C-alpha cells in the first residue's frame, strides 16, 4: 500500500493463474526455487532479474496463446 501500481503483485497474480509460479499452501515457487512463504515475501523475491524470467515464462506459456 502507498506504492502506487503493484507490478510485482500483478505479475505474481498472472504467473499463478497461468501456472508459471506454483502455489503450495502459503509458499510460492518458480522453477523449483521458493520465492517466499507469503505474498509479500514472494513480491520482494521477484524484483529484477527474476521478474524478467517470470515475464518471459508467462509470454511463452500455453495460457498466453
Amino acid at each position: 500500500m502507498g506504492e502506487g501500481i503493484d507490478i510485482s503483485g500483478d505479475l505474481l497474480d498472472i504467473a499463478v493463474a497461468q501456472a508459471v509460479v506454483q502455489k503450495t499452501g502459503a509458499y510460492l515457487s518458480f522453477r523449483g526455487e521458493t520465492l517466499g512463504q507469503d505474498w509479500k515475501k514472494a513480491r520482494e523475491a521477484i524484483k529484477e532479474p527474476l521478474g524478467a524470467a517470470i515475464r518471459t515464462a508467462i509470454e511463452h506459456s500455453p495460457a498466453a496463446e
Side-chain angles (χ1 to χ4, degrees), residues 12 15-16 19-30 37-39:
L12 272 177
V16 169
V20 170
V21 167
Q22 291 70 43
K23 186 171 187 312
T24 307
Y27 288 88
L28 291 110
S29 61
F30 174 65
Q37 185 175 357
D38 60 28
W39 210 256

Side-chain angles (χ1 to χ4, degrees), residues 23-61:
K23 186 171 187 312
T24 307
Y27 288 88
L28 291 110
S29 61
F30 174 65
R31 295 184 179 162
E33 180 180 340
T34 300
L35 301 174
Q37 185 175 357
D38 60 28
W39 210 256
K40 185 175 180 178
K41 289 179 184 173
R43 281 179 46 235
E44 290 301 314
I46 66 165
K47 305 282 182 177
E48 301 305 328
L50 190 55
I54 292 173
R55 277 192 290 281
T56 299
I58 289 170
E59 291 169 1
H60 294 96
S61 76

